[in-house]
Amino acid sequence: MELSRVELLPGVWLNHLRSDKFKTACLSVNLLTQLTRETASMNALIPFVLRRGCTRYGDMEAISARLDELYGTAIEPVVRRIGEIQCLGFYASIPESAFLPGKEDVLRPACELLGELLLNPATRGGLLLPQYVDSEREKMLDALRARVNEKRSYSVMRCIEEMCCFEDFSAGRLGGIDEMKNVRYQKLSKHYRSLLQSCPIEIFYCGRADRKRLAALLRDTLSTLPRGEIDYELGTEIRMNALEDQPREVTEPMDVSQGKLVIGFRLGECMDDPDLAALTVFNGVFGSGSTSKLFANVREKLQLCYYAGSMIDTHKGLLLAAAGIDCDKKDAAQAEIFRQLEAMRRGEISDEELQAAKAGAAADLRMAEDSQGELEGFYLSQILRGLDYGPAELAELCEDVTKDDVVAVAQSVDCDLIYFLTEDGEGEADAQEEL
Amino acid sequence: MRRRSFEHIGEVLYEETLPNGLRLCVVPKKGFRSSYALFAADYGGAHRRFTLDGRLIDTPAGVAHYLEHKMFDLPGGDNALDILTANGADPNASTGADMTSYFFQCTEHFEENLRMLLHFVSTPYFTDETVEKERGIITQEILMGEDDPGLGLYYRLLGMLYASHPLRERVAGTEESIRAITAETLYACHRAFYAPGNMVLCVEGDVDPERILAIAREALPQETQPVPEADFGPAESLLPVESYSRETMPVSAPQFLLGAKFAPAAKGEEALRRRLTASLALRTLFGRSSPFYTRLYAKGLLNLDFDYEADFITNAAMLILGGESRDPDAVLAEVKKEIEALEKNGLDEERFRRAKRASLGARLRGLEDFESVCFALASGLIEGYCALEGPELLERIDKADCERFLLDVLRPERLAFAIYEPKKD
């Protein structure tokens, strides 16, 4: 599988991956923009508002009926935060004609519908319809408030928010609640027009159509895209060190029976010239999967938790270690997490641990080639790094990682903040009311 | 092995039943990097009471799940999860109310990993010490589930639907119920339900079906063994025990679930037809393009998280729909209106036609993921149908089938409605 990349229109790139393996094709269109606290909420809302109605299909019922007609083609709004770049647009999944009655082609009409949604929204007097904007804003607010219902992801999000409180990264994928409350249709319409003109656009396709046919289809579909000066100045500010000498501590009481500990680190100097393979294998040894140090020790040896693991953000340079624990076991779990990191810094990594982490990372990456969703996410992330190699190549690099590479990452990380979600003792859940 | 070709969806399936009773199917996929194997027992959280050696055994809630955790321990202190991971596989396991599943996906050493999977799941090794050791971890998992309002509401609804069926209780059990579990309990349950005759093996990937068959013959016990009939309690009426509940919980906005029981079909093709009918009927009436959903969405009564499904678990079947809403009672009123309109006018011809097209596309999409294909095949083997027949059978389901299904299940007296709402300021 080889990715080919071609510029369709100024700043509009098609990334094409030809494959006969799948029953459906995937097509995503992503507008890239700098993540800022001021604009994140508006950006996040746009694809959801666009999905409510376009000139040809004025409301959701008409759009959905059209999608049903196209054999259940799905076109969903998608908003991502990759480092401090916010990516917004649509992700479409389109059945391949080879498997449809009469080999009916749905790629062309699906592309047309995608173009309609992106470029020709339902408007009045040139402005997005206030009822759609208001309705989507309220739904987005509900979704933002609902994040507290999932304690595990909520605690990770809160740790990042606190850790990066002076950085745009903390605006989150969807922006903040207060900013969202203030979104109105006039300003949003203006913002939408300016994004169309200035955002670099990355299109990803994986399926049976060859590049020539798809490029022609998309050029047609996007022919009315208004382009102005393209803003290529997108990037992520990477803070190397912790904010203060000692890790900051944040404790949040809530009506929970299980505590959630999340320890946030900066990846540190190794982010000067990040070695993706070394970072991936480091995370494997430390806290990803059942052979990792956190799983083996915090869960299996000390039985402090059901889950204990770590994740890295290689764009922003963050490492997060997380565990779900009894509320009175915080000190023990925290001490063990640090003990394991210290051991790695001293080079206490067995051949088995290293081998398992390398094999696990390589296998995960190779498996990604069997999933269009994984491929799409992987390549979008690569494109933002300015890299063009695929998951199989990164898998090979992971297999070449040495113990010294992993130790170097361990020595580079710097603890910034310790977040703990714990029982409030009175059975009162007040935290979500502040949101 | 028996080879079956499903040309319109571009799939081929190989199937076989071994002399020891194991049911096996393989879907070869050329050009894929990875392969996936699922080895599952027709045994889950609901199989609590059964007769073994003429003795009635009543096990505590949570045993099937506890057993799943402990199956990875091998004699000599080895752990199958570690061995598989170290060998490049991505292994895991899950326990549902009706099935316990052990599975892995990998890109290298598939045959070795498959041998290990079959070996560890058929090798019980428990000591009081290792069983005791797991209690803390499982307790944390139970507590985590108790903090999950979505799961809480689901079990609340099951408690309203069923009078005594073990589905009422959480698959993982409770902190109290798992205290009674010992090594002896786990051995008894393993012996009763993990015989090859009560298990299915489903494999998908770039593999040779005959090799899979040979490995299964080699790695599993040869002898057949009778499998106990589980006792799910007295037959339940189709009416709920309780039809409405509203409780305060730590949630950000009201959550609701609507449920209704219906009679499951007999095993075999009829079971697949029933599933397809239920899913197509629900899609036509409540799907993303339905007037019901789009109207309530526009009114702010429903969100994108609104969902519906027909569940077939052990000897029970039910439909469930739910999500978040500012006013769940208004949603319930709209559902009832929809049912009245359905009684009068039936389903709209044009919408039904489109829903069928959409359903075909959704089924194609479902074929992309090895895990969901293998799980669907496993359920099918247990229920006596072949899941890959779905797209073709779907063609033969008509509007009248769907209307009959909906009008039967959605009778007002059949409905149970559960709400979790946030504390008022």
Side-chain angles (χ1 to χ4, degrees):
Chain A
M1 267 197 257
E2 188 130 345
L3 188 77
S4 75
R5 188 169 154 78
V6 58
E7 191 172 18
L8 296 175
L9 296 165
V12 181
W13 293 84
L14 167 63
N15 302 277
H16 179 269
L17 200 59
R18 171 106 176 58
S19 173
D20 283 339
K21 290 191 340 190
F22 303 105
K23 310 279 186 234
T24 51
C26 118
L27 176 65
S28 77
V29 177
N30 304 279
L31 278 65
L32 311 185
T33 176
Q34 190 67 40
L35 178 72
T36 71
R37 243 175 269 261
E38 296 70 39
T39 55
S41 305
M42 281 199 291
N43 292 336
L45 205 53
I46 284 170
F48 290 90
V49 172
L50 298 181
R51 181 66 171 71
R52 287 298 293 275
C54 54
T55 31
R56 190 148 171 219
Y57 304 99
D59 58 24
M60 249 175 66
E61 190 178 351
I63 294 171
S64 303
R66 181 67 185 148
L67 289 167
D68 281 0
E69 192 67 41
L70 301 177
Y71 285 99
T73 288
I75 301 181
E76 297 298 335
V78 55
V79 180
R80 284 174 271 208
R81 171 185 67 180
I82 303 181
E84 281 165 355
I85 298 173
Q86 201 177 7
C87 311
L88 52 125
F90 293 104
Y91 184 105
S93 159
I94 306 158
E96 295 280 10
S97 63
F99 305 106
L100 297 176
K103 311 266 182 258
E104 188 174 332
D105 174 45
V106 291
L107 181 61
R108 171 179 287 276
C111 284
E112 284 166 0
L113 178 54
L114 186 58
E116 281 276 325
L117 291 173
L118 190 66
L119 302 176
N120 302 321
T123 52
R124 194 162 48 231
L127 298 174
L128 296 168
L129 299 182
Q131 67 268 32
Y132 287 174
V133 174
D134 292 350
S135 155
E136 287 305 317
R137 180 190 60 232
E138 294 311 305
K139 284 178 203 300
M140 191 65 93
L141 283 167
D142 287 342
L144 290 169
R145 292 184 185 113
R147 292 182 297 193
V148 72
N149 298 344
E150 301 289 334
K151 304 293 183 289
R152 188 165 168 177
S153 53
Y154 173 79
S155 58
V156 168
M157 176 198 83
R158 287 284 298 121
C159 178
I160 292 174
E161 253 177 25
E162 294 286 345
M163 179 157 68
C164 304
C165 58
F166 298 116
E167 295 149 86
D168 283 321
F169 196 67
S170 64
R173 182 172 72 88
L174 301 170
I177 288 186
D178 289 338
E179 291 80 2
M180 190 63 75
K181 281 182 186 162
N182 292 323
V183 177
R184 295 292 177 273
Y185 73 102
Q186 300 94 330
K187 212 173 147 199
L188 192 70
S189 304
K190 213 174 136 201
H191 188 66
Y192 157 69
R193 301 277 169 213
S194 79
L195 288 181
L196 285 186
Q197 294 192 1
S198 65
C199 284
I201 298 180
E202 293 290 344
I203 301 173
F204 178 87
Y205 172 85
C206 175
R208 296 180 177 220
D210 63 36
R211 196 182 79 185
K212 223 172 122 191
R213 170 164 187 240
L214 192 71
L217 268 179
L218 289 168
R219 277 201 190 93
D220 271 3
T221 301
L222 299 174
S223 60
T224 58
L225 175 71
R227 289 310 253 174
E229 194 178 326
I230 314 292
D231 179 13
Y232 289 110
E233 301 292 305
L234 305 175
T236 299
E237 185 207 343
I238 298 171
R239 180 185 280 276
M240 300 291 182
N241 302 318
L243 203 58
E244 290 171 21
D245 290 344
Q246 290 299 313
R248 290 169 286 161
E249 295 230 19
V250 174
T251 299
E252 187 169 331
M254 204 181 276
D255 179 9
V256 292
S257 34
Q258 187 186 68
K260 302 276 191 262
L261 175 65
V262 187
I263 306 183
F265 301 82
R266 304 285 175 170
L267 285 173
E269 286 109 47
C270 66
M271 286 302 291
D272 267 338
D273 180 15
D275 176 346
L276 268 189
L279 287 166
T280 307
V281 175
F282 159 81
N283 189 50
V285 175
F286 185 49
S288 169
S290 65
T291 54
S292 69
K293 285 186 178 286
L294 294 186
F295 190 93
N297 292 287
V298 184
R299 171 172 149 142
E300 294 293 309
K301 200 173 96 197
L302 301 180
Q303 287 135 48
L304 286 168
C305 61
Y306 169 62
Y307 74 87
S310 65
M311 61 208 102
I312 47 171
D313 184 316
T314 54
H315 289 270
K316 180 64 183 166
L318 305 180
L319 163 70
L320 300 165
I325 53 177
D326 255 348
C327 292
D328 58 6
K329 298 274 170 54
K330 185 218 171 207
D331 292 342
Q334 183 180 323
E336 188 59 27
I337 291 169
F338 281 115
R339 197 172 301 132
Q340 293 307 321
L341 183 62
E342 279 309 320
M344 287 181 71
R345 285 176 170 153
R346 289 192 302 268
E348 292 168 20
I349 298 167
S350 71
D351 289 347
E352 290 76 29
E353 284 172 324
L354 183 66
Q355 200 39 48
K358 283 158 68 165
D364 280 351
L365 286 158
R366 292 196 173 107
M367 275 181 234
E369 293 205 332
D370 290 346
S371 152
Q372 288 174 325
E374 296 281 332
L375 284 168
E376 193 262 355
F378 183 89
Y379 278 111
L380 184 59
S381 168
Q382 286 292 82
I383 290 159
L384 295 190
R385 287 183 224 275
L387 300 175
D388 61 357
Y389 60 81
E393 287 86 343
L394 183 55
E396 274 179 39
L397 294 172
C398 285
E399 282 164 345
D400 291 338
V401 169
T402 65
K403 184 169 134 182
D404 287 348
D405 298 333
V406 173
V407 172
V409 175
Q411 288 173 347
S412 164
V413 306
D414 190 9
C415 180
D416 196 347
L417 187 129
I418 299 166
Y419 171 86
F420 189 47
L421 179 73
T422 185
E423 62 197 354
D424 57 10
E426 295 159 40
E428 274 185 34
D430 289 330
Q432 75 261 25
E433 288 162 22
E434 292 165 20
L435 297 177
Chain B
M1 293 180 91
R2 181 170 169 225
R3 180 184 189 277
R4 301 182 63 190
S5 176
F6 300 87
E7 268 158 42
H8 52 295
I9 52 167
E11 303 288 1
V12 174
L13 175 103
Y14 292 80
E15 56 187 2
E16 179 81 58
T17 302
L18 266 52
N20 62 10
L22 178 84
R23 285 153 292 172
L24 160 71
C25 65
V26 182
V27 179
K29 301 281 278 188
K30 286 274 170 257
F32 280 77
R33 293 296 295 259
S34 61
S35 301
Y36 184 97
L38 165 67
F39 189 32
D42 181 1
Y43 168 63
H47 296 71
R48 287 186 43 201
R49 280 172 288 277
F50 54 91
T51 308
L52 186 65
D53 304 334
R55 199 157 58 93
L56 180 73
I57 298 189
D58 193 347
T59 60
V63 175
H65 173 254
Y66 211 116
L67 178 58
E68 173 233 295
H69 269 239
K70 290 324 293 168
M71 276 320 300
F72 290 92
D73 289 356
L74 287 168
D78 284 335
N79 182 289
L81 198 68
D82 292 348
I83 296 174
L84 285 165
T85 308
N87 208 29
D90 183 10
N92 212 335
S94 67
T95 308
D98 58 350
M99 196 163 94
T100 311
S101 311
Y102 301 86
F103 46 92
F104 72 88
Q105 189 164 6
C106 68
T107 52
E108 324 262 335
H109 316 301
F110 179 76
E111 293 190 359
E112 253 173 73
N113 289 330
L114 179 62
R115 273 197 193 89
M116 175 47 77
L117 173 73
L118 299 176
H119 169 66
F120 89 78
V121 178
S122 20
T123 310
Y125 173 72
F126 319 113
T127 66
D128 285 334
E129 191 196 348
T130 59
V131 171
E132 191 49 49
K133 201 187 120 195
E134 199 72 14
R135 219 174 301 271
I137 294 171
I138 295 179
T139 301
Q140 286 306 319
E141 189 176 352
I142 289 170
L143 291 178
M144 193 162 86
E146 285 172 4
D147 281 343
D148 178 347
L151 205 57
L153 187 59
Y154 174 69
Y155 281 107
R156 181 71 184 91
L157 178 73
L158 291 183
M160 293 166 69
L161 286 174
Y162 294 94
S164 61
H165 198 288
L167 283 178
R168 292 165 54 92
E169 281 139 304
R170 289 184 186 238
V171 169
T174 64
E175 215 177 333
E176 290 74 43
S177 77
I178 65 163
R179 274 192 205 126
I181 294 171
T182 62
E184 198 192 342
T185 330
L186 299 186
Y187 274 116
C189 294
H190 187 277
R191 187 155 66 86
F193 291 106
Y194 278 55
N198 199 44
M199 304 202 64
V200 295
L201 174 63
C202 302
V203 174
E204 186 173 22
D206 197 351
V207 294
D208 172 1
E210 294 297 336
R211 292 288 307 149
I212 308 294
L213 177 66
I215 291 168
R217 279 185 201 279
E218 223 174 86
L220 293 174
Q222 304 299 315
E223 64 276 14
T224 55
Q225 191 190 308
V227 176
E229 189 84 10
D231 171 14
F232 299 118
E236 299 242 356
S237 101
L238 289 174
L239 300 176
V241 186
E242 190 185 347
S243 41
Y244 186 89
S245 87
R246 176 186 272 274
E247 287 157 56
T248 304
M249 285 287 154
V251 289
S252 59
Q255 319 276 322
F256 72 92
L257 283 179
L258 174 77
K261 292 185 278 195
F262 58 92
K267 289 195 175 193
E269 190 186 273
E270 202 40 44
L272 177 59
R273 175 183 285 277
R274 192 86 164 141
R275 281 165 170 75
L276 295 168
T277 306
S279 138
L280 181 56
L282 289 171
R283 178 189 282 271
T284 313
L285 197 60
F286 298 115
R288 290 279 132 134
S289 58
S290 66
F292 169 83
Y293 176 71
T294 50
R295 188 175 69 238
L296 269 62
Y297 184 95
K299 273 188 180 173
L301 285 173
L302 288 179
N303 286 337
L304 285 171
D305 70 352
F306 174 74
D307 211 352
Y308 53 86
E309 61 188 21
D311 283 341
F312 298 82
I313 315 174
T314 63
N315 62 347
M318 70 197 110
L319 73 80
I320 297 184
L321 49 99
E324 188 180 288
S325 177
R326 300 190 162 181
D327 188 353
D329 290 322
V331 177
L332 180 60
E334 293 282 348
V335 170
K336 289 183 173 161
K337 254 195 249 169
E338 209 62 31
I339 300 167
E340 280 168 32
L342 180 71
E343 278 168 358
K344 252 189 253 146
N345 314 319
L347 290 170
D348 180 85
E349 189 79 49
E350 188 52 22
R351 279 199 196 95
F352 178 75
R353 186 191 62 82
R354 281 198 306 258
K356 214 166 170 177
R357 283 168 77 98
S359 182
L360 179 63
R363 281 180 191 281
L364 281 175
R365 194 168 296 125
L367 292 171
E368 302 287 30
D369 179 39
F370 291 178
E371 180 156 301
S372 54
V373 170
C374 287
F375 270 80
L377 288 169
S379 296
L381 286 177
I382 290 170
E383 293 301 315
Y385 63 84
C386 173
L388 291 186
E389 284 171 5
E392 205 181 349
L393 187 54
L394 178 70
E395 237 349 275
R396 301 205 296 272
I397 287 167
D398 58 30
K399 191 164 85 84
D401 296 331
C402 291
E403 284 165 348
R404 256 194 312 277
F405 171 81
L406 290 169
L407 288 173
D408 173 47
V409 181
L410 289 172
R411 280 182 228 172
E413 68 274 16
R414 293 260 192 99
L415 307 182
F417 197 66
I419 305 169
Y420 274 1
E421 60 182 357
K423 220 179 279 185
K424 299 245 163 43
D425 292 332

